[in-house]
Amino acid sequence: MGIRAWQEVAGVVGIFVLLTCVMTVTIWQVAASVRAKADIAREAAYQQLAHRAVSTQEKLERDLVEARSQLTDLQSRLTSVEHVLREVE
């Protein structure tokens, strides 16, 4: 094999290594991009879930305040009914 043949082999090996490196970096970057998009989607879903949880807690708090108010009103009515019943006896 002459020097020219070795140069051709070295050139082919060099191009093969270069293409392998380029393909590896490309695949790596595409995978990183896909992971980043998945992270963004997961973060958006988490934020939506957190927003719904806060909204539900706020509604629950309003409902509890209303229930407490109704219970207080019911207790005062019951007290007045008990008072009336004691007077009747």
Side-chain angles (χ1 to χ4, degrees):
M1 222 178 198
I3 201 86
R4 177 112 172 124
W6 284 110
Q7 287 176 345
E8 289 176 0
V9 169
V12 169
V13 169
I15 290 175
F16 178 74
V17 169
L18 177 66
L19 289 177
T20 302
C21 289
V22 168
M23 288 180 60
T24 302
V25 169
T26 302
I27 291 170
W28 191 276
Q29 291 300 319
V30 168
S33 176
V34 168
R35 282 193 307 270
K37 287 179 184 178
D39 287 344
I40 290 170
R42 186 172 42 249
E43 181 68 25
Y46 178 75
Q47 286 179 354
Q48 185 180 23
L49 177 64
H51 179 67
R52 284 187 12 225
V54 168
S55 297
T56 302
Q57 280 184 326
E58 289 171 349
K59 182 184 180 305
L60 183 61
E61 184 180 1
R62 287 190 302 271
D63 291 347
L64 285 174
V65 167
E66 181 181 342
R68 184 177 296 244
S69 171
Q70 290 175 355
L71 182 60
T72 303
D73 183 47
L74 184 62
Q75 284 176 337
S76 67
R77 287 181 183 187
L78 182 61
T79 302
S80 94
V81 168
E82 286 175 346
H83 182 66
V84 168
L85 286 176
R86 283 189 190 133
E87 287 180 0
V88 170
E89 289 180 347

